[in-house]
Amino acid sequence: MLQPPHQSLQVAAMPSVPAPRVPAREEDGPWHSEAVCRRDEAGLFFAPSKEPTAARLSREEAAKRVCARCPVMVACREHALLQPEPYGVWGGLTAAERRVVLARRRRRAAELRQAPGAGPIAAAG
């Protein structure tokens, strides 16, 4: 399980597994070490309780602007989709937007299971 980049989250304890002794290089680090949000206020990415809708939308748009300039946005998004992260803005998507993406992925996977070997071109005829 990867450590989330957002500063306000805590990481669950992981079992200790000895790692090979290799000199650490910055480009070999986990994706979240390069996340732009590590340098921003974590409150931008997570809603306070009872946040008014207008304030939430404004905060989410600001968070998405941070994500848009992040070099690891795609990796962050995939992390949030695979976990799945239930709250916050991850990889430029809100929790509601991630639920839509996950539903589409499930639907696409179900369609592929139902019609093996029949792609969209074969189905169109």
Side-chain angles (χ1 to χ4, degrees), residues 1-39:
M1 179 153 117
L2 292 174
Q3 177 183 2
H6 306 299
Q7 297 169 357
S8 67
L9 296 180
Q10 296 181 358
V11 178
M14 299 212 28
S16 177
V17 177
R21 295 226 176 239
V22 179
R25 295 187 335 209
E26 192 171 307
E27 64 267 19
D28 291 338
W31 65 267
H32 52 80
S33 65
E34 297 298 317
V36 172
C37 62
R38 291 180 69 89
R39 297 180 291 276

PDB file of all heavy atoms in Angstrom, residues 1-39:
ATOM      1  N   MET A   1       0.852  -1.176   0.000  1.00  0.00           N
ATOM      2  CA  MET A   1       0.000   0.000   0.000  1.00  0.00           C
ATOM      3  C   MET A   1       0.888   1.226   0.000  1.00  0.00           C
ATOM      4  O   MET A   1       1.781   1.347   0.819  1.00  0.00           O
ATOM      5  CB  MET A   1      -0.880  -0.029   1.239  1.00  0.00           C
ATOM      6  CG  MET A   1      -1.770   1.158   1.334  1.00  0.00           C
ATOM      7  SD  MET A   1      -3.211   0.712   2.243  1.00  0.00           S
ATOM      8  CE  MET A   1      -3.117   1.727   3.643  1.00  0.00           C
ATOM      9  N   LEU A   2       0.630   2.135  -0.908  1.00  0.00           N
ATOM     10  CA  LEU A   2       1.436   3.325  -1.028  1.00  0.00           C
ATOM     11  C   LEU A   2       1.021   4.354  -0.001  1.00  0.00           C
ATOM     12  O   LEU A   2      -0.139   4.441   0.380  1.00  0.00           O
ATOM     13  CB  LEU A   2       1.278   3.926  -2.413  1.00  0.00           C
ATOM     14  CG  LEU A   2       1.853   3.106  -3.547  1.00  0.00           C
ATOM     15  CD1 LEU A   2       1.487   3.756  -4.862  1.00  0.00           C
ATOM     16  CD2 LEU A   2       3.342   2.984  -3.402  1.00  0.00           C
ATOM     17  N   GLN A   3       1.973   5.167   0.418  1.00  0.00           N
ATOM     18  CA  GLN A   3       1.675   6.246   1.335  1.00  0.00           C
ATOM     19  C   GLN A   3       1.009   7.370   0.567  1.00  0.00           C
ATOM     20  O   GLN A   3       1.497   7.793  -0.472  1.00  0.00           O
ATOM     21  CB  GLN A   3       2.963   6.751   1.964  1.00  0.00           C
ATOM     22  CG  GLN A   3       2.749   7.932   2.872  1.00  0.00           C
ATOM     23  CD  GLN A   3       4.053   8.450   3.431  1.00  0.00           C
ATOM     24  OE1 GLN A   3       5.108   7.959   3.108  1.00  0.00           O
ATOM     25  NE2 GLN A   3       3.957   9.450   4.264  1.00  0.00           N
ATOM     26  N   PRO A   4      -0.156   7.849   1.023  1.00  0.00           N
ATOM     27  CA  PRO A   4      -0.819   8.931   0.326  1.00  0.00           C
ATOM     28  C   PRO A   4      -0.001  10.208   0.420  1.00  0.00           C
ATOM     29  O   PRO A   4       0.656  10.456   1.424  1.00  0.00           O
ATOM     30  CB  PRO A   4      -2.154   9.085   1.045  1.00  0.00           C
ATOM     31  CG  PRO A   4      -2.096   8.227   2.235  1.00  0.00           C
ATOM     32  CD  PRO A   4      -0.885   7.381   2.166  1.00  0.00           C
ATOM     33  N   PRO A   5      -0.053  11.054  -0.619  1.00  0.00           N
ATOM     34  CA  PRO A   5       0.743  12.258  -0.615  1.00  0.00           C
ATOM     35  C   PRO A   5       0.175  13.347   0.274  1.00  0.00           C
ATOM     36  O   PRO A   5       0.908  14.200   0.738  1.00  0.00           O
ATOM     37  CB  PRO A   5       0.724  12.703  -2.071  1.00  0.00           C
ATOM     38  CG  PRO A   5      -0.545  12.154  -2.600  1.00  0.00           C
ATOM     39  CD  PRO A   5      -0.750  10.861  -1.872  1.00  0.00           C
ATOM     40  N   HIS A   6      -1.118  13.346   0.506  1.00  0.00           N
ATOM     41  CA  HIS A   6      -1.734  14.413   1.263  1.00  0.00           C
ATOM     42  C   HIS A   6      -1.266  14.350   2.711  1.00  0.00           C
ATOM     43  O   HIS A   6      -1.334  13.328   3.360  1.00  0.00           O
ATOM     44  CB  HIS A   6      -3.256  14.328   1.186  1.00  0.00           C
ATOM     45  CG  HIS A   6      -3.755  14.296  -0.226  1.00  0.00           C
ATOM     46  ND1 HIS A   6      -3.540  15.315  -1.109  1.00  0.00           N
ATOM     47  CD2 HIS A   6      -4.425  13.349  -0.913  1.00  0.00           C
ATOM     48  CE1 HIS A   6      -4.083  15.010  -2.270  1.00  0.00           C
ATOM     49  NE2 HIS A   6      -4.620  13.816  -2.178  1.00  0.00           N
ATOM     50  N   GLN A   7      -0.838  15.473   3.213  1.00  0.00           N
ATOM     51  CA  GLN A   7      -0.210  15.539   4.526  1.00  0.00           C
ATOM     52  C   GLN A   7      -1.137  15.190   5.667  1.00  0.00           C
ATOM     53  O   GLN A   7      -0.685  14.727   6.700  1.00  0.00           O
ATOM     54  CB  GLN A   7       0.340  16.942   4.748  1.00  0.00           C
ATOM     55  CG  GLN A   7       1.423  17.301   3.763  1.00  0.00           C
ATOM     56  CD  GLN A   7       1.761  18.766   3.816  1.00  0.00           C
ATOM     57  OE1 GLN A   7       1.142  19.528   4.545  1.00  0.00           O
ATOM     58  NE2 GLN A   7       2.733  19.172   3.050  1.00  0.00           N
ATOM     59  N   SER A   8      -2.448  15.366   5.504  1.00  0.00           N
ATOM     60  CA  SER A   8      -3.360  15.140   6.616  1.00  0.00           C
ATOM     61  C   SER A   8      -3.710  13.673   6.824  1.00  0.00           C
ATOM     62  O   SER A   8      -4.309  13.328   7.818  1.00  0.00           O
ATOM     63  CB  SER A   8      -4.643  15.942   6.411  1.00  0.00           C
ATOM     64  OG  SER A   8      -5.344  15.421   5.312  1.00  0.00           O
ATOM     65  N   LEU A   9      -3.348  12.822   5.896  1.00  0.00           N
ATOM     66  CA  LEU A   9      -3.671  11.403   6.025  1.00  0.00           C
ATOM     67  C   LEU A   9      -2.602  10.672   6.803  1.00  0.00           C
ATOM     68  O   LEU A   9      -1.432  11.003   6.746  1.00  0.00           O
ATOM     69  CB  LEU A   9      -3.810  10.763   4.645  1.00  0.00           C
ATOM     70  CG  LEU A   9      -4.952  11.289   3.796  1.00  0.00           C
ATOM     71  CD1 LEU A   9      -4.969  10.568   2.471  1.00  0.00           C
ATOM     72  CD2 LEU A   9      -6.271  11.100   4.495  1.00  0.00           C
ATOM     73  N   GLN A  10      -3.010   9.645   7.513  1.00  0.00           N
ATOM     74  CA  GLN A  10      -2.057   8.812   8.221  1.00  0.00           C
ATOM     75  C   GLN A  10      -1.940   7.489   7.512  1.00  0.00           C
ATOM     76  O   GLN A  10      -2.891   7.006   6.919  1.00  0.00           O
ATOM     77  CB  GLN A  10      -2.503   8.593   9.660  1.00  0.00           C
ATOM     78  CG  GLN A  10      -2.536   9.876  10.452  1.00  0.00           C
ATOM     79  CD  GLN A  10      -2.957   9.624  11.875  1.00  0.00           C
ATOM     80  OE1 GLN A  10      -3.249   8.497  12.246  1.00  0.00           O
ATOM     81  NE2 GLN A  10      -2.982  10.656  12.672  1.00  0.00           N
ATOM     82  N   VAL A  11      -0.767   6.879   7.606  1.00  0.00           N
ATOM     83  CA  VAL A  11      -0.502   5.623   6.925  1.00  0.00           C
ATOM     84  C   VAL A  11      -0.654   4.481   7.912  1.00  0.00           C
ATOM     85  O   VAL A  11      -0.173   4.546   9.032  1.00  0.00           O
ATOM     86  CB  VAL A  11       0.925   5.620   6.340  1.00  0.00           C
ATOM     87  CG1 VAL A  11       1.223   4.305   5.667  1.00  0.00           C
ATOM     88  CG2 VAL A  11       1.098   6.770   5.388  1.00  0.00           C
ATOM     89  N   ALA A  12      -1.343   3.437   7.465  1.00  0.00           N
ATOM     90  CA  ALA A  12      -1.477   2.243   8.304  1.00  0.00           C
ATOM     91  C   ALA A  12      -0.119   1.567   8.415  1.00  0.00           C
ATOM     92  O   ALA A  12       0.685   1.589   7.484  1.00  0.00           O
ATOM     93  CB  ALA A  12      -2.492   1.291   7.685  1.00  0.00           C
ATOM     94  N   ALA A  13       0.137   0.963   9.559  1.00  0.00           N
ATOM     95  CA  ALA A  13       1.413   0.278   9.757  1.00  0.00           C
ATOM     96  C   ALA A  13       1.514  -0.899   8.803  1.00  0.00           C
ATOM     97  O   ALA A  13       0.568  -1.639   8.611  1.00  0.00           O
ATOM     98  CB  ALA A  13       1.515  -0.205  11.197  1.00  0.00           C
ATOM     99  N   MET A  14       2.673  -1.038   8.203  1.00  0.00           N
ATOM    100  CA  MET A  14       2.897  -2.120   7.255  1.00  0.00           C
ATOM    101  C   MET A  14       3.904  -3.082   7.861  1.00  0.00           C
ATOM    102  O   MET A  14       4.782  -2.677   8.602  1.00  0.00           O
ATOM    103  CB  MET A  14       3.422  -1.567   5.934  1.00  0.00           C
ATOM    104  CG  MET A  14       2.435  -0.622   5.322  1.00  0.00           C
ATOM    105  SD  MET A  14       2.393  -0.549   3.545  1.00  0.00           S
ATOM    106  CE  MET A  14       2.911  -2.082   2.964  1.00  0.00           C
ATOM    107  N   PRO A  15       3.784  -4.370   7.533  1.00  0.00           N
ATOM    108  CA  PRO A  15       4.745  -5.315   8.070  1.00  0.00           C
ATOM    109  C   PRO A  15       6.137  -4.978   7.565  1.00  0.00           C
ATOM    110  O   PRO A  15       6.329  -4.506   6.456  1.00  0.00           O
ATOM    111  CB  PRO A  15       4.274  -6.665   7.523  1.00  0.00           C
ATOM    112  CG  PRO A  15       3.248  -6.368   6.492  1.00  0.00           C
ATOM    113  CD  PRO A  15       2.799  -4.960   6.675  1.00  0.00           C
ATOM    114  N   SER A  16       7.103  -5.219   8.417  1.00  0.00           N
ATOM    115  CA  SER A  16       8.485  -4.902   8.069  1.00  0.00           C
ATOM    116  C   SER A  16       9.044  -5.968   7.136  1.00  0.00           C
ATOM    117  O   SER A  16       9.078  -7.142   7.461  1.00  0.00           O
ATOM    118  CB  SER A  16       9.326  -4.814   9.346  1.00  0.00           C
ATOM    119  OG  SER A  16      10.658  -4.571   9.010  1.00  0.00           O
ATOM    120  N   VAL A  17       9.449  -5.531   5.957  1.00  0.00           N
ATOM    121  CA  VAL A  17      10.051  -6.423   4.978  1.00  0.00           C
ATOM    122  C   VAL A  17      11.414  -5.854   4.647  1.00  0.00           C
ATOM    123  O   VAL A  17      11.513  -4.701   4.239  1.00  0.00           O
ATOM    124  CB  VAL A  17       9.189  -6.505   3.691  1.00  0.00           C
ATOM    125  CG1 VAL A  17       9.859  -7.374   2.653  1.00  0.00           C
ATOM    126  CG2 VAL A  17       7.807  -6.996   4.023  1.00  0.00           C
ATOM    127  N   PRO A  18      12.469  -6.634   4.829  1.00  0.00           N
ATOM    128  CA  PRO A  18      13.784  -6.079   4.533  1.00  0.00           C
ATOM    129  C   PRO A  18      13.920  -5.772   3.049  1.00  0.00           C
ATOM    130  O   PRO A  18      13.540  -6.566   2.199  1.00  0.00           O
ATOM    131  CB  PRO A  18      14.760  -7.183   4.943  1.00  0.00           C
ATOM    132  CG  PRO A  18      13.941  -8.365   5.294  1.00  0.00           C
ATOM    133  CD  PRO A  18      12.509  -7.982   5.315  1.00  0.00           C
ATOM    134  N   ALA A  19      14.420  -4.590   2.772  1.00  0.00           N
ATOM    135  CA  ALA A  19      14.618  -4.168   1.382  1.00  0.00           C
ATOM    136  C   ALA A  19      16.094  -4.314   1.028  1.00  0.00           C
ATOM    137  O   ALA A  19      16.960  -4.188   1.888  1.00  0.00           O
ATOM    138  CB  ALA A  19      14.194  -2.714   1.225  1.00  0.00           C
ATOM    139  N   PRO A  20      16.369  -4.595  -0.242  1.00  0.00           N
ATOM    140  CA  PRO A  20      17.768  -4.690  -0.641  1.00  0.00           C
ATOM    141  C   PRO A  20      18.458  -3.343  -0.462  1.00  0.00           C
ATOM    142  O   PRO A  20      17.842  -2.305  -0.647  1.00  0.00           O
ATOM    143  CB  PRO A  20      17.699  -5.092  -2.118  1.00  0.00           C
ATOM    144  CG  PRO A  20      16.313  -4.775  -2.554  1.00  0.00           C
ATOM    145  CD  PRO A  20      15.450  -4.787  -1.343  1.00  0.00           C
ATOM    146  N   ARG A  21      19.706  -3.378  -0.085  1.00  0.00           N
ATOM    147  CA  ARG A  21      20.468  -2.138   0.108  1.00  0.00           C
ATOM    148  C   ARG A  21      20.964  -1.648  -1.239  1.00  0.00           C
ATOM    149  O   ARG A  21      21.907  -2.189  -1.791  1.00  0.00           O
ATOM    150  CB  ARG A  21      21.631  -2.378   1.050  1.00  0.00           C
ATOM    151  CG  ARG A  21      21.170  -2.744   2.428  1.00  0.00           C
ATOM    152  CD  ARG A  21      21.949  -1.936   3.430  1.00  0.00           C
ATOM    153  NE  ARG A  21      21.453  -2.203   4.747  1.00  0.00           N
ATOM    154  CZ  ARG A  21      20.965  -1.249   5.516  1.00  0.00           C
ATOM    155  NH1 ARG A  21      20.921  -0.021   5.102  1.00  0.00           N
ATOM    156  NH2 ARG A  21      20.529  -1.537   6.713  1.00  0.00           N
ATOM    157  N   VAL A  22      20.260  -0.640  -1.740  1.00  0.00           N
ATOM    158  CA  VAL A  22      20.607  -0.030  -3.014  1.00  0.00           C
ATOM    159  C   VAL A  22      20.625   1.466  -2.781  1.00  0.00           C
ATOM    160  O   VAL A  22      19.739   1.986  -2.103  1.00  0.00           O
ATOM    161  CB  VAL A  22      19.546  -0.386  -4.094  1.00  0.00           C
ATOM    162  CG1 VAL A  22      19.889   0.256  -5.415  1.00  0.00           C
ATOM    163  CG2 VAL A  22      19.409  -1.880  -4.226  1.00  0.00           C
ATOM    164  N   PRO A  23      21.586   2.175  -3.325  1.00  0.00           N
ATOM    165  CA  PRO A  23      21.574   3.626  -3.150  1.00  0.00           C
ATOM    166  C   PRO A  23      20.271   4.227  -3.672  1.00  0.00           C
ATOM    167  O   PRO A  23      19.828   3.903  -4.771  1.00  0.00           O
ATOM    168  CB  PRO A  23      22.767   4.109  -3.988  1.00  0.00           C
ATOM    169  CG  PRO A  23      23.592   2.902  -4.237  1.00  0.00           C
ATOM    170  CD  PRO A  23      22.701   1.719  -4.119  1.00  0.00           C
ATOM    171  N   ALA A  24      19.646   5.064  -2.877  1.00  0.00           N
ATOM    172  CA  ALA A  24      18.376   5.676  -3.273  1.00  0.00           C
ATOM    173  C   ALA A  24      18.629   6.773  -4.290  1.00  0.00           C
ATOM    174  O   ALA A  24      19.538   7.577  -4.134  1.00  0.00           O
ATOM    175  CB  ALA A  24      17.671   6.248  -2.047  1.00  0.00           C
ATOM    176  N   ARG A  25      17.833   6.748  -5.333  1.00  0.00           N
ATOM    177  CA  ARG A  25      17.882   7.812  -6.334  1.00  0.00           C
ATOM    178  C   ARG A  25      16.509   8.436  -6.383  1.00  0.00           C
ATOM    179  O   ARG A  25      15.500   7.749  -6.255  1.00  0.00           O
ATOM    180  CB  ARG A  25      18.246   7.242  -7.707  1.00  0.00           C
ATOM    181  CG  ARG A  25      19.625   6.673  -7.756  1.00  0.00           C
ATOM    182  CD  ARG A  25      20.021   6.271  -9.144  1.00  0.00           C
ATOM    183  NE  ARG A  25      18.871   5.964  -9.986  1.00  0.00           N
ATOM    184  CZ  ARG A  25      18.899   5.105 -10.986  1.00  0.00           C
ATOM    185  NH1 ARG A  25      19.981   4.463 -11.280  1.00  0.00           N
ATOM    186  NH2 ARG A  25      17.826   4.883 -11.725  1.00  0.00           N
ATOM    187  N   GLU A  26      16.449   9.727  -6.575  1.00  0.00           N
ATOM    188  CA  GLU A  26      15.186  10.439  -6.553  1.00  0.00           C
ATOM    189  C   GLU A  26      14.194   9.884  -7.568  1.00  0.00           C
ATOM    190  O   GLU A  26      13.017   9.713  -7.286  1.00  0.00           O
ATOM    191  CB  GLU A  26      15.432  11.925  -6.815  1.00  0.00           C
ATOM    192  CG  GLU A  26      14.222  12.780  -6.537  1.00  0.00           C
ATOM    193  CD  GLU A  26      14.540  14.240  -6.586  1.00  0.00           C
ATOM    194  OE1 GLU A  26      15.476  14.667  -5.893  1.00  0.00           O
ATOM    195  OE2 GLU A  26      13.848  14.955  -7.325  1.00  0.00           O
ATOM    196  N   GLU A  27      14.642   9.560  -8.780  1.00  0.00           N
ATOM    197  CA  GLU A  27      13.719   9.085  -9.797  1.00  0.00           C
ATOM    198  C   GLU A  27      13.196   7.682  -9.512  1.00  0.00           C
ATOM    199  O   GLU A  27      12.223   7.255 -10.109  1.00  0.00           O
ATOM    200  CB  GLU A  27      14.345   9.149 -11.192  1.00  0.00           C
ATOM    201  CG  GLU A  27      15.543   8.242 -11.376  1.00  0.00           C
ATOM    202  CD  GLU A  27      16.878   8.924 -11.091  1.00  0.00           C
ATOM    203  OE1 GLU A  27      16.886   9.968 -10.413  1.00  0.00           O
ATOM    204  OE2 GLU A  27      17.903   8.411 -11.529  1.00  0.00           O
ATOM    205  N   ASP A  28      13.803   6.963  -8.584  1.00  0.00           N
ATOM    206  CA  ASP A  28      13.343   5.621  -8.231  1.00  0.00           C
ATOM    207  C   ASP A  28      12.322   5.633  -7.103  1.00  0.00           C
ATOM    208  O   ASP A  28      11.789   4.600  -6.751  1.00  0.00           O
ATOM    209  CB  ASP A  28      14.525   4.740  -7.813  1.00  0.00           C
ATOM    210  CG  ASP A  28      15.432   4.422  -8.977  1.00  0.00           C
ATOM    211  OD1 ASP A  28      14.959   4.501 -10.134  1.00  0.00           O
ATOM    212  OD2 ASP A  28      16.602   4.110  -8.739  1.00  0.00           O
ATOM    213  N   GLY A  29      12.068   6.799  -6.518  1.00  0.00           N
ATOM    214  CA  GLY A  29      11.161   6.895  -5.378  1.00  0.00           C
ATOM    215  C   GLY A  29       9.728   6.635  -5.776  1.00  0.00           C
ATOM    216  O   GLY A  29       9.381   6.605  -6.956  1.00  0.00           O
ATOM    217  N   PRO A  30       8.849   6.446  -4.795  1.00  0.00           N
ATOM    218  CA  PRO A  30       7.438   6.239  -5.083  1.00  0.00           C
ATOM    219  C   PRO A  30       6.843   7.496  -5.726  1.00  0.00           C
ATOM    220  O   PRO A  30       7.332   8.604  -5.539  1.00  0.00           O
ATOM    221  CB  PRO A  30       6.818   5.952  -3.727  1.00  0.00           C
ATOM    222  CG  PRO A  30       7.837   6.296  -2.716  1.00  0.00           C
ATOM    223  CD  PRO A  30       9.152   6.428  -3.390  1.00  0.00           C
ATOM    224  N   TRP A  31       5.762   7.313  -6.453  1.00  0.00           N
ATOM    225  CA  TRP A  31       5.162   8.426  -7.177  1.00  0.00           C
ATOM    226  C   TRP A  31       4.821   9.592  -6.264  1.00  0.00           C
ATOM    227  O   TRP A  31       4.962  10.741  -6.645  1.00  0.00           O
ATOM    228  CB  TRP A  31       3.917   7.968  -7.945  1.00  0.00           C
ATOM    229  CG  TRP A  31       2.801   7.505  -7.063  1.00  0.00           C
ATOM    230  CD1 TRP A  31       2.556   6.225  -6.656  1.00  0.00           C
ATOM    231  CD2 TRP A  31       1.797   8.296  -6.453  1.00  0.00           C
ATOM    232  NE1 TRP A  31       1.462   6.180  -5.837  1.00  0.00           N
ATOM    233  CE2 TRP A  31       0.978   7.446  -5.700  1.00  0.00           C
ATOM    234  CE3 TRP A  31       1.506   9.660  -6.461  1.00  0.00           C
ATOM    235  CZ2 TRP A  31      -0.106   7.908  -4.963  1.00  0.00           C
ATOM    236  CZ3 TRP A  31       0.429  10.124  -5.737  1.00  0.00           C
ATOM    237  CH2 TRP A  31      -0.367   9.244  -4.993  1.00  0.00           C
ATOM    238  N   HIS A  32       4.372   9.319  -5.047  1.00  0.00           N
ATOM    239  CA  HIS A  32       3.902  10.406  -4.179  1.00  0.00           C
ATOM    240  C   HIS A  32       5.023  11.314  -3.693  1.00  0.00           C
ATOM    241  O   HIS A  32       4.760  12.408  -3.221  1.00  0.00           O
ATOM    242  CB  HIS A  32       3.076   9.877  -3.004  1.00  0.00           C
ATOM    243  CG  HIS A  32       3.738   8.800  -2.232  1.00  0.00           C
ATOM    244  ND1 HIS A  32       4.686   9.032  -1.286  1.00  0.00           N
ATOM    245  CD2 HIS A  32       3.583   7.465  -2.298  1.00  0.00           C
ATOM    246  CE1 HIS A  32       5.080   7.879  -0.775  1.00  0.00           C
ATOM    247  NE2 HIS A  32       4.428   6.909  -1.376  1.00  0.00           N
ATOM    248  N   SER A  33       6.277  10.900  -3.835  1.00  0.00           N
ATOM    249  CA  SER A  33       7.368  11.789  -3.427  1.00  0.00           C
ATOM    250  C   SER A  33       7.473  12.986  -4.358  1.00  0.00           C
ATOM    251  O   SER A  33       8.035  14.005  -3.991  1.00  0.00           O
ATOM    252  CB  SER A  33       8.692  11.025  -3.377  1.00  0.00           C
ATOM    253  OG  SER A  33       9.053  10.603  -4.675  1.00  0.00           O
ATOM    254  N   GLU A  34       6.905  12.879  -5.554  1.00  0.00           N
ATOM    255  CA  GLU A  34       6.934  13.975  -6.523  1.00  0.00           C
ATOM    256  C   GLU A  34       5.613  14.745  -6.589  1.00  0.00           C
ATOM    257  O   GLU A  34       5.475  15.655  -7.396  1.00  0.00           O
ATOM    258  CB  GLU A  34       7.260  13.426  -7.917  1.00  0.00           C
ATOM    259  CG  GLU A  34       8.627  12.793  -8.016  1.00  0.00           C
ATOM    260  CD  GLU A  34       9.746  13.787  -7.725  1.00  0.00           C
ATOM    261  OE1 GLU A  34       9.676  14.934  -8.213  1.00  0.00           O
ATOM    262  OE2 GLU A  34      10.673  13.409  -6.997  1.00  0.00           O
ATOM    263  N   ALA A  35       4.658  14.384  -5.770  1.00  0.00           N
ATOM    264  CA  ALA A  35       3.339  15.004  -5.835  1.00  0.00           C
ATOM    265  C   ALA A  35       3.400  16.473  -5.422  1.00  0.00           C
ATOM    266  O   ALA A  35       3.975  16.823  -4.391  1.00  0.00           O
ATOM    267  CB  ALA A  35       2.368  14.251  -4.932  1.00  0.00           C
ATOM    268  N   VAL A  36       2.803  17.324  -6.233  1.00  0.00           N
ATOM    269  CA  VAL A  36       2.779  18.755  -5.960  1.00  0.00           C
ATOM    270  C   VAL A  36       2.010  19.042  -4.670  1.00  0.00           C
ATOM    271  O   VAL A  36       2.353  19.955  -3.920  1.00  0.00           O
ATOM    272  CB  VAL A  36       2.169  19.517  -7.158  1.00  0.00           C
ATOM    273  CG1 VAL A  36       1.958  20.985  -6.838  1.00  0.00           C
ATOM    274  CG2 VAL A  36       3.060  19.374  -8.381  1.00  0.00           C
ATOM    275  N   CYS A  37       0.995  18.248  -4.372  1.00  0.00           N
ATOM    276  CA  CYS A  37       0.163  18.499  -3.189  1.00  0.00           C
ATOM    277  C   CYS A  37       0.934  18.333  -1.884  1.00  0.00           C
ATOM    278  O   CYS A  37       0.483  18.799  -0.847  1.00  0.00           O
ATOM    279  CB  CYS A  37      -1.060  17.588  -3.198  1.00  0.00           C
ATOM    280  SG  CYS A  37      -0.673  15.835  -3.144  1.00  0.00           S
ATOM    281  N   ARG A  38       2.099  17.714  -1.927  1.00  0.00           N
ATOM    282  CA  ARG A  38       2.907  17.592  -0.710  1.00  0.00           C
ATOM    283  C   ARG A  38       3.362  18.955  -0.228  1.00  0.00           C
ATOM    284  O   ARG A  38       3.691  19.137   0.930  1.00  0.00           O
ATOM    285  CB  ARG A  38       4.111  16.693  -0.958  1.00  0.00           C
ATOM    286  CG  ARG A  38       3.737  15.253  -1.162  1.00  0.00           C
ATOM    287  CD  ARG A  38       4.959  14.402  -1.409  1.00  0.00           C
ATOM    288  NE  ARG A  38       5.785  14.295  -0.232  1.00  0.00           N
ATOM    289  CZ  ARG A  38       5.656  13.372   0.712  1.00  0.00           C
ATOM    290  NH1 ARG A  38       4.699  12.480   0.611  1.00  0.00           N
ATOM    291  NH2 ARG A  38       6.462  13.330   1.738  1.00  0.00           N
ATOM    292  N   ARG A  39       3.388  19.930  -1.151  1.00  0.00           N
ATOM    293  CA  ARG A  39       3.843  21.272  -0.798  1.00  0.00           C
ATOM    294  C   ARG A  39       2.678  22.229  -0.561  1.00  0.00           C
ATOM    295  O   ARG A  39       2.886  23.380  -0.227  1.00  0.00           O
ATOM    296  CB  ARG A  39       4.748  21.808  -1.911  1.00  0.00           C
ATOM    297  CG  ARG A  39       6.001  20.978  -2.093  1.00  0.00           C
ATOM    298  CD  ARG A  39       6.892  21.510  -3.181  1.00  0.00           C
ATOM    299  NE  ARG A  39       6.352  21.374  -4.522  1.00  0.00           N
ATOM    300  CZ  ARG A  39       6.442  20.281  -5.276  1.00  0.00           C
ATOM    301  NH1 ARG A  39       7.041  19.206  -4.814  1.00  0.00           N
ATOM    302  NH2 ARG A  39       5.953  20.258  -6.486  1.00  0.00           N
TER     303      ARG A  39
END
